[in-house]
Amino acid sequence: METLCAGTDGKKEETYEAWIARMTEDNIDQSAIEKAGEILKNGGLAAFPTETVYGLGGNALDAKASEKIYAAKGRPSDNPLIVHIGRMEDLETVAANVPESARKLAAACWPGPLTMIFEKTNAVPLETTGGLTSVAVRYPSNKVANALILAGGGFIAAPSANTSGRPSPTKAEHVIEDLGDKIDCIIDGGDAEIGLESTIVDFTEEIPTILRPGYYNKEMLEKVLGTVRVDPGILAEDSHVRPKAPGMRYKHYAPKADLTIIQGEMERVIPEINRLAAEQEKAGKKVGVICTDETREQYTTGDIKSIGLRAEDETIAHHLFAILRDFDEDGVEVIYSEAFDTPRMGQAIMNRLLKAAGHKVAEV
């Protein structure tokens, strides 16, 4: 453990000091976990790794702790938080009227990168659910996350541990950059395995409805549940289509640069990105290009970054947020990205990329 940084919130004289503890799933520092757990029990905030992205945790049953999460992130208070549990039996404490279909899905996918929405119990304050009478619940598979959840009282509200609107954090350095002077501690567990937030399925509807795509796609869920709907707001640009899932109501994931997705057949996309990049460089702009290992050698201009392999789209998901942050560090002003309509995780990847680009897409 070490002191990370100190500062003030600009309004009070109170000083914030975050400490950092490093560990792995195979070598958990239990004394650090217990200390972080006490911070959570006392109403403080702790950032921690999960298999998806890093979370910013507070006691989910403490209204004031949830308010602290919103304040630290600069997150609108009507954007619900996900309640993380560390044991299957704890679901009943926070969720009411859990249907048999949800229990079946939990048996297949928990612990893991899946969030389910139910009616909330009175144990969960409205401050945690963004004023909604429903609650989003997740049981993560990361062993560090689970150890902290149990040490912190068993119910941890945790959105992604980043400043609201920024790319989600997939490593502790991202958390430090955004929140190092605003929270109490950071558990550094290395790079997040998946790199995109959990799939969210709403069980308050008659038909289970995907509100946010993730590691588990529609086809995988249908094998367990049968009929599954996809919320039209997932890939919609229409501002009137507003998904109620945590983290999807507002603009998200945006780099500092102006990001445009170039969509179409690759034999047209690549020359178009090369043309646009050269045009922007000639105008004095620093340009970034997001491509894959398969196309990397065909690009000629700009700060060219491969995001992974189309043939293994889990690699694209894993690197997306980190690459957006890398462009910020490089001072890139304009980014052009290929589209990634891949079979396995394509919908989840494009959901995040479209939000990062503000739905700015050029068809070729």
Side-chain angles (χ1 to χ4, degrees):
M1 286 173 270
E2 62 188 79
T3 296
L4 176 64
C5 48
T8 66
D9 63 5
K11 295 180 181 179
K12 303 176 183 178
E13 290 300 314
E14 181 180 2
T15 297
Y16 294 91
E17 185 178 86
W19 55 268
I20 185 166
R22 295 181 174 88
M23 63 187 75
T24 66
E25 291 187 80
D26 296 328
N27 187 19
I28 294 176
D29 182 343
Q30 195 58 40
S31 65
I33 290 291
E34 293 298 330
K35 181 176 178 179
E38 286 302 312
I39 286 173
L40 291 168
K41 288 177 181 177
N42 291 326
L45 303 183
F48 61 97
T50 77
E51 69 277 18
T52 57
V53 299
Y54 273 73
L56 174 59
N59 183 352
L61 309 187
D62 180 348
K64 292 189 182 301
S66 291
E67 289 172 347
K68 286 183 180 179
I69 292 173
Y70 287 113
K73 282 179 61 72
R75 180 185 178 101
S77 61
D78 64 343
N79 196 355
L81 308 176
I82 294 175
V83 176
H84 291 62
I85 59 175
R87 304 180 306 174
M88 191 77 79
E89 56 264 35
D90 289 336
L91 175 62
E92 311 298 331
T93 300
V94 294
N97 301 319
V98 178
E100 190 56 37
S101 57
R103 297 185 189 280
K104 188 176 179 183
L105 188 60
C109 299
W110 272 2
L114 170 72
T115 295
M116 293 188 278
I117 295 179
F118 309 102
E119 294 177 32
K120 81 175 190 69
T121 65
N122 290 333
V124 185
L126 290 170
E127 287 82 357
T128 297
T129 63
L132 300 176
T133 57
S134 58
V135 62
V137 188
R138 183 158 108 79
Y139 178 7
S141 62
N142 182 282
K143 294 177 182 177
V144 175
N146 272 299
L148 180 63
I149 292 164
L150 295 176
F155 304 95
I156 306 302
S160 54
N162 58 306
T163 301
S164 189
R166 293 273 289 134
S168 296
T170 56
K171 55 185 68 180
E173 290 83 355
H174 300 159
V175 182
I176 293 168
E177 178 185 356
D178 283 11
L179 301 175
D181 61 347
K182 297 177 182 177
I183 64 178
D184 300 292
C185 69
I186 298 169
I187 306 298
D188 182 352
D191 288 4
E193 179 184 354
I194 295 173
L196 293 184
E197 302 87 349
S198 59
T199 302
I200 298 179
V201 181
D202 185 4
F203 282 93
T204 67
E205 304 280 343
E206 184 177 346
I207 298 173
T209 303
I210 300 171
L211 300 187
R212 183 174 73 188
Y215 181 83
Y216 294 118
N217 61 27
K218 184 172 184 284
E219 290 71 25
M220 296 169 73
L221 296 172
E222 284 175 334
K223 288 179 181 178
V224 179
L225 298 173
T227 303
V228 177
R229 286 185 61 245
V230 177
D231 186 275
I234 282 178
L235 295 175
E237 185 177 5
D238 185 349
S239 62
H240 297 292
V241 181
R242 302 185 71 189
K244 61 182 177 180
M248 303 304 284
R249 190 179 292 270
Y250 297 93
K251 184 179 179 182
H252 266 61
Y253 320 121
K256 295 174 184 175
D258 180 44
L259 169 61
T260 302
I261 302 164
I262 309 300
Q263 189 159 322
E265 297 297 325
M266 290 310 299
E267 58 264 28
R268 295 185 177 184
V269 167
I270 293 168
E272 178 66 4
I273 290 179
N274 279 331
R275 183 188 71 79
L276 291 168
E279 189 177 87
Q280 290 291 338
E281 281 206 341
K282 188 175 181 180
K285 300 282 188 179
K286 188 165 185 179
V287 183
V289 173
I290 300 176
C291 60
T292 64
D293 286 3
E294 292 93 336
T295 58
R296 171 67 180 80
E297 296 304 317
Q298 298 179 61
Y299 288 100
T300 56
T301 304
D303 184 356
I304 303 163
K305 296 186 188 298
S306 171
I307 199 170
L309 286 161
R310 284 183 185 274
E312 299 174 15
D313 61 0
E314 291 94 340
T315 62
I316 296 174
H318 180 77
H319 293 117
L320 175 59
F321 292 140
I323 276 184
L324 293 178
R325 285 180 176 266
D326 286 346
F327 279 128
D328 285 349
E329 289 184 13
D330 294 348
V332 166
E333 300 166 273
V334 180
I335 303 170
Y336 296 107
S337 177
E338 298 175 2
F340 304 104
D341 298 310
T342 55
R344 168 70 178 79
M345 291 190 70
Q347 188 179 63
I349 294 163
M350 287 306 297
N351 169 268
R352 307 317 195 270
L353 193 60
L354 282 164
K355 285 190 170 291
H359 286 269
K360 190 175 181 181
V361 179
E363 297 278 351
V364 294

